[in-house]
Amino acid sequence: MRKKVLVTGGAGYIGSHTVVELFNAGYQPIILDDFRNSDESVLDGISQIIGSKPELLRGDVCDTNLLSKFIKENEICGIIHFAAYKAVGESVEKPLNYYQNNLEGLVAVLKVVSMHPEITFVFSSSCTVYGEPFGQKEVTEKTERSIPTSPYGYTKWLGEQIINDVFNSNADLRLMSLRYFNPIGAHESAAIGELPIGKPNNLLPFITQTAAGLHDQLTIFGNDYPTIDGTCVRDYIHVVDLAEAHVKALDFLVKESKGCHEVVNIGTGKGSSVLEMVRAFEQVNQVKLNYEFGPKRAGDVIEIYANVDYAKELLAWQANKTITDAVRDAWNWEKLIRSIE
Ligand code: WQD
């Protein structure tokens, strides 16, 4: 009998890939989404991969009545909470949208979990909570969290604080925050992938859209940083590896007999520069990319990548896919949605 798990924002980029891996692992994922930031066609993509239409609870994660009714009618083993806005730049322009949606949604879900200790909880956090690790580059879960560089980053920073306070008020709860580094790529089937609404903020979707002719060129924000080649360094992790980390997190919490609150880095443990990503994309896909160097982007961290020892120790998880896999899968996805041969 499949254990049910509610995946808020399950029609989103990371959510949809996680729904696939949860199903593959024997769970019954139920998507909660109102499609404000995703497209319903994702459901067809998921069903193309798993062979059946995923269950959908259409609605707003902030709707506490909807959540309470669902919990009354369904016995679930956990909630994986993705539903949140995630564009760094947009959060600077519309901070109140981010604070309201991201924090209100988290509080609504935590209220359900607090009343039902039998339900485990996984939070979609981010390496952005480390801010600029000031020369540390490789960060562990013990690395001091710094001041976030955007309202988006603050919603993740405050989100972790809220979860910590909830656990301190009820130590029977089983809670986990996963600090993602930079998710990239798409499912190898190209049935699901990243569908940025409007002009993408993130690097790889901008690269694939430029290669597809949607933009004249990529602007690399800064090339005189104190790094291997002057461009910023990040820990880019294939979205399917990230999805599998959520399955391992749920497995751990479901098996845990006592209350716990864990925070885990989810990355590859390796850094790659922007230029290295551009060159990998060109070489793997045999595509020439137009790019120029432009001014630095405000708020950019110079270099950060994960120490992933704890993920291995606690979850028996590590990333298996490579940058080559990710840039290939991302390009296959872009070509499919743009009908490029
Ligand atoms: C990576 C590097 C840019 C675009 C943010 C969030 C993180 C997560 C991922 C949601 C930087 C450079 C980018 C471009 C460029 N959020 N770049 N030209 O800022 O590391 O992380 O997104 O999942 O929580 O903080 O990701 O992809 O925007 O930038 O040169 O057109 O690529 O300057 O050095 P970032 P990013």
Side-chain angles (χ1 to χ4, degrees), residues 261-283:
H261 172 222
E262 296 286 356
V263 177
V264 189
N265 281 346
I266 301 296
T268 66
K270 291 186 288 298
S272 301
S273 76
V274 176
L275 260 180
E276 285 169 335
M277 292 299 288
V278 169
R279 293 199 175 118
F281 178 83
E282 289 183 317
Q283 200 241 317

Side-chain angles (χ1 to χ4, degrees), residues 14 86 88 126-128 152 180-183 200-204 206 218-221 232-234 236 274 297 300-301:
I14 305 169
K86 68 159 190 109
V88 174
S126 163
C127 61
T128 198
Y152 158 79
Y180 310 160
F181 281 70
N182 287 59
N201 293 287
N202 292 135
L203 178 64
L204 195 52
F206 205 100
L218 165 77
T219 301
I220 296 179
F221 301 137
C232 292
V233 174
R234 294 288 183 276
Y236 295 96
V274 176
R297 181 173 71 172
D300 265 346
V301 164

